[in-house]
Amino acid sequence: MKSKKGFIITAGVLAAITVASFAVWFIPQNNQSSIVISNPSDELDALIDQQKAISESDKIEFDKMLSGQITPENYIAIAEISSGQIRSIIISITEPDVPEQWMQSYSALADSLRAYNTYLRETTVIAEKLKSDPASDITEDKAKLEQYLTQAQDSLAASNDSRPA
């Protein structure tokens, strides 16, 4: 009697597992969720504020590196973290479901962030150069940095100019 009862319970559990396994295969896996932004203006302002905080911090750390207060290795680590944060913001801009009239403004902000991320990569090139030779001439490199910052500022201005009224 006990073995018959155990057999029935075991068979029931195996049947439940089998049914559950097949159910997983038949459930559609194409569930794409999208983030709907209820207030695009406030969201855009928050993203711009995040970028400004990151850029201000990076400028301070880059200046510290140039003045010898931190090592190039430390700056590279800081710049890599900042670059990851910028990439995260770019992803958050490209994924949400933004109303059509805000698309141009969000796109211009993404361009600004990409230009700033290029700036960060170039600062790490300078840091690598200073790491290998602290007496390196970085005058041309610093001029190139200004171009990327100008491009980032121009794209940010375009984002602000393309905001709906």
Side-chain angles (χ1 to χ4, degrees), residues 18-62:
T18 304
V19 169
S21 296
F22 279 107
V24 168
W25 283 98
F26 290 113
I27 295 173
Q29 300 295 319
N30 246 357
N31 296 343
Q32 289 197 0
S33 60
S34 64
I35 302 168
V36 178
I37 296 178
S38 61
N39 191 337
S41 178
D42 289 346
E43 180 69 21
L44 200 60
D45 289 338
L47 294 171
I48 290 170
D49 288 344
Q50 287 177 2
Q51 191 275 336
K52 283 181 183 177
I54 293 168
S55 66
E56 288 170 4
S57 173
D58 286 329
K59 178 163 178 25
I60 291 168
E61 297 303 322
F62 185 68

Side-chain angles (χ1 to χ4, degrees), residues 80-155:
E80 286 174 354
I81 291 168
S82 296
S83 180
Q85 291 171 330
I86 295 294
R87 284 191 306 269
S88 176
I89 296 171
I90 292 170
I91 290 169
S92 72
I93 287 174
T94 57
E95 287 184 357
D97 189 12
V98 179
E100 186 67 33
Q101 66 268 26
W102 285 91
M103 291 300 287
Q104 187 176 358
S105 185
Y106 272 72
S107 177
L109 179 60
D111 291 341
S112 174
L113 292 166
R114 286 184 193 100
Y116 186 75
N117 213 20
T118 302
Y119 162 84
L120 283 174
R121 283 194 306 270
E122 290 300 316
T123 62
T124 60
V125 169
I126 291 173
E128 290 289 346
K129 189 183 270 190
L130 292 174
K131 185 169 104 176
S132 64
D133 179 15
S136 294
D137 181 23
I138 57 169
T139 308
E140 289 180 27
D141 298 311
K142 287 171 90 176
K144 195 187 308 183
L145 290 179
E146 290 303 317
Q147 291 174 347
Y148 294 121
L149 285 178
T150 301
Q151 183 181 1
Q153 289 300 322
D154 291 347
S155 294

